[in-house]
Amino acid sequence: MLAGAGVFVLLHGGAEGSSRFGTAEVLGALGLPQDPSPAEAGALLKTAGVAYVDLPKLHPALARGVGLRPRLGVRTLMNTVARLLNPASAKTHLVGISHPPYFEKISGALGRLGASRVLVLKGLEGEPEVSPAGSTPSLLWT
């Protein structure tokens, strides 16, 4: 919706062991590349208004750390750090989280890293995405 309204949207992340469809799959179904390099994503952002960069291409070392979560069975610092990446030097952020106590921590950290506006959302059932099946707790930081 944001890209359709003329807002440039650069998404980044990874499957992180999820069995559900992720951002890359949804963009692929829309005919957009699922696995562009960061440079290709930059060009795509200019032409399509939306692009996705997989975490291993954006930050390979961090992706390896995030990969520990399914093996350890617990949250790691790496998953939180991945949410703080800002490859486009954007001033406005929309971040999904799955752990409610991180609302203020994530928004405050992004503010200290240069963001001027942050919207943090928490989906249902521990998912970081908005769900049409219920209300979405959120925090707007400016």
Side-chain angles (χ1 to χ4, degrees), residues 68-125:
L68 291 173
R69 182 177 186 168
R71 289 184 268 170
L72 297 174
V74 296
R75 285 182 206 85
T76 68
L77 175 64
M78 300 300 181
N79 298 86
T80 303
V81 171
R83 301 205 182 297
L84 300 175
L85 292 178
N86 187 7
S89 300
K91 295 293 182 189
T92 303
H93 298 260
L94 174 62
V95 181
I97 62 168
S98 55
H99 193 56
Y102 288 3
F103 270 123
E104 292 84 8
K105 293 174 183 172
I106 290 288
S107 59
L110 284 167
R112 287 183 198 95
L113 292 169
S116 59
R117 190 175 182 104
V118 179
L119 179 58
V120 182
L121 307 171
K122 185 210 170 286
L124 298 175
E125 299 177 14

Side-chain angles (χ1 to χ4, degrees), residues 8-36:
F8 291 112
V9 179
L10 178 62
L11 304 151
H12 65 81
E16 298 180 20
S18 173
S19 61
R20 297 183 177 157
F21 283 105
T23 303
E25 292 82 9
V26 171
L27 292 177
L30 294 173
L32 296 168
Q34 293 184 32
D35 198 21

Side-chain angles (χ1 to χ4, degrees), residues 7 16 29 40 42 44 47 51 53 55 67 78-79 88 100 103 110 115 124 127-128 130 132 134-135 137 141:
V7 176
E16 298 180 20
E40 293 166 336
L44 186 60
T47 59
V53 180
L55 186 59
M78 300 300 181
N79 298 86
F103 270 123
L110 284 167
L124 298 175
E127 293 294 325
V130 173
S135 64
W141 181 92

